[in-house]
Amino acid sequence: MTKLSRRRFLQSSAAVAAGSVALPFAGLAQDDAILVGGLHDLSGGLDTSGIPMSQIFELALKEINDTGGLLGRQVKPVIYDPQSNMSLYSQYATQLALKDKVAVVHGGITSASRETIRPIFHRFKTLYFYNTLYEGGVCDRNEITLGTTPAQTVEKLIPYVMNLWGKKVYTVAADYNYGHITAAWFKRYVEENGGEVVETEFFPLDVTQFGSTIAKIQAAAPDIVLSAMVGTGHFGFYRQWAAAGMKSRIPMASTTFGAGGSEPIIMTPEEGDGIITSFGYYPTIDTPANIAWKEKIAAAYPSNTPVLSELAEVTWEGVMIWADAVREAGTLDREPILEVLESGKTYDMPAGKVSIDPLTHHAIRDVYIADLKDHEFIIKEKYEQVPPADTQMVCNLEEDPDANVHHEISLN
């Protein structure tokens, strides 16, 4: 992508955050509309992920309206910007549940945000879709989790890159529950595949300077660097890594690089090429469904086309799967909708086939491994219908439908 294209991406992102390019929802029957909550970071440290998610959220609702609405009614988004601030997440979640009385909420990016709002929606019985990859462990019948878990991506990525590059690993990760638990998954799968994690470092989301860490990695001389860095501040790690001349010396794989879509575009090929990742969606998936979906998005947002990633595509899935369940249930009541979602139905999505595991309410889905080249992820492997969790996921919602926990998964 050219410098002009990257500039346009940044400008369009700012425009979305300012609310100047929202899709039109004029003509709605305001008094009878079905309200659907959207809670994505449109500003703050995670806005590069939250803005595309919100764009796709709105587009999905518009498509529902364009095809007749739900239950003879239109749907209407109720959107708040929590600004990557947990206090605002709590405030807006309570407002969506009690004041706005939305039928469902789609939102949250970090695990910290999810664990702030999930108990609120559980308490007030407001159905919640978490459309984001995460570390695993949530057991809550009120939450539908469609993003990938480490048992789907890390389990595939680790042996793939170890076979390419070697067995000595250095891990860098975000310093909150996602990063810590994902690092533990890294260690588990590295050791299961005969390797060793020589060091693990954690970084708060606002850290932007990584010179001392790069020096430590250079001294440790690993075969691979595994990254679970998160957010705008952590972009600096990849840029400083390349600037130090390390990218050609020690290869890197990640479960987060490109998750929000913006990193491969903002960074130059010299900075990003060769980073291998694993996700449940890439825009380079070459299927009629994905091609048609991308064309639809480009037509809806011609001047501010959202950057597509797993987070954006799974947001589309969340809205469409919820709408399908409402139609089949014939009601907005939570319990009949949950029964439809637990029926094992398979959905054809741009990412591939998706179904919801009734025991955990996580997605069974196709998983991919890809290599970044000139701002595009070149898909190297596809794994079909990978379950969301292995035996370490302690969750059985059929036996305990009232569960409301985030398990600290044992990886011993």
Side-chain angles (χ1 to χ4, degrees), residues 108-388:
I109 298 179
T110 65
S111 293
S113 66
R114 182 199 65 246
E115 287 309 296
T116 297
I117 63 181
R118 181 187 61 77
I120 295 171
F121 296 136
H122 183 100
R123 176 184 177 188
F124 297 118
K125 294 182 169 52
T126 301
L127 186 61
Y128 173 46
F129 277 70
Y130 183 55
N131 304 316
T132 306
L133 64 96
Y134 87 116
E135 71 280 356
V138 167
C139 192
D140 182 348
R141 188 166 179 256
N142 190 63
E143 177 180 306
I144 304 297
T145 306
L146 295 177
T148 51
T149 69
Q152 293 170 307
T153 54
V154 178
E155 192 269 343
K156 303 300 183 187
L157 181 66
I158 296 294
Y160 183 87
V161 297
M162 287 178 67
N163 287 336
L164 284 179
W165 298 327
K167 297 183 180 296
K168 188 178 178 182
V169 173
Y170 197 111
T171 294
V172 291
D175 190 14
Y176 68 101
N177 52 356
Y178 169 79
H180 282 266
I181 297 174
T182 299
W185 283 102
F186 284 171
K187 185 175 188 293
R188 172 185 173 175
Y189 288 123
V190 166
E191 292 177 350
E192 282 187 359
N193 286 276
E196 175 191 10
V197 176
V198 296
E199 184 71 50
T200 298
E201 284 195 74
F202 299 100
F203 303 89
L205 294 182
D206 59 356
V207 171
T208 59
Q209 297 300 316
F210 302 93
S212 62
T213 293
I214 291 171
K216 288 175 63 177
I217 297 173
Q218 185 175 3
D223 299 315
I224 307 167
V225 172
L226 291 180
S227 169
M229 301 292 239
V230 173
T232 305
H234 288 181
F235 281 0
F237 173 74
Y238 301 102
R239 286 181 162 154
Q240 292 162 40
W241 180 257
M246 296 300 296
K247 193 166 78 71
S248 62
R249 297 171 58 184
I250 302 174
M252 187 178 302
S254 177
T255 58
T256 51
F257 179 84
S262 59
E263 297 98 319
I265 293 175
I266 294 173
M267 294 171 64
T268 67
E270 291 75 20
E271 293 167 336
D273 277 8
I275 297 176
I276 292 181
T277 59
S278 180
F279 294 117
Y281 173 80
Y282 291 96
T284 47
I285 293 172
D286 189 17
T287 61
N290 189 44
I291 292 169
W293 186 63
K294 291 191 297 181
E295 290 174 349
K296 182 183 304 181
I297 293 166
Y301 294 103
S303 62
N304 57 300
T305 308
V307 180
L308 299 182
S309 67
E310 177 177 321
L311 273 65
E313 194 276 342
V314 170
T315 299
W316 177 270
E317 291 180 10
V319 176
M320 291 303 178
I321 289 174
W322 167 76
D324 180 84
V326 170
R327 293 188 190 99
E328 189 164 327
T331 178
L332 293 173
D333 292 345
R334 189 182 68 125
E335 187 61 33
I337 291 172
L338 285 171
E339 290 175 2
V340 173
L341 294 170
E342 293 166 342
S343 67
K345 186 174 183 178
T346 298
Y347 303 88
D348 291 319
M349 292 293 172
K353 293 187 180 300
V354 178
S355 60
I356 296 170
D357 172 26
L359 296 183
T360 65
H361 278 202
H362 288 57
I364 301 167
R365 60 184 313 117
D366 298 339
V367 173
Y368 306 85
I369 289 176
D371 189 353
L372 186 64
K373 177 67 173 177
D374 294 330
H375 300 292
E376 287 193 343
F377 282 108
I378 310 303
I379 294 175
K380 298 295 185 179
E381 298 287 344
K382 176 183 178 181
Y383 307 91
E384 295 185 355
Q385 296 300 278
V386 182

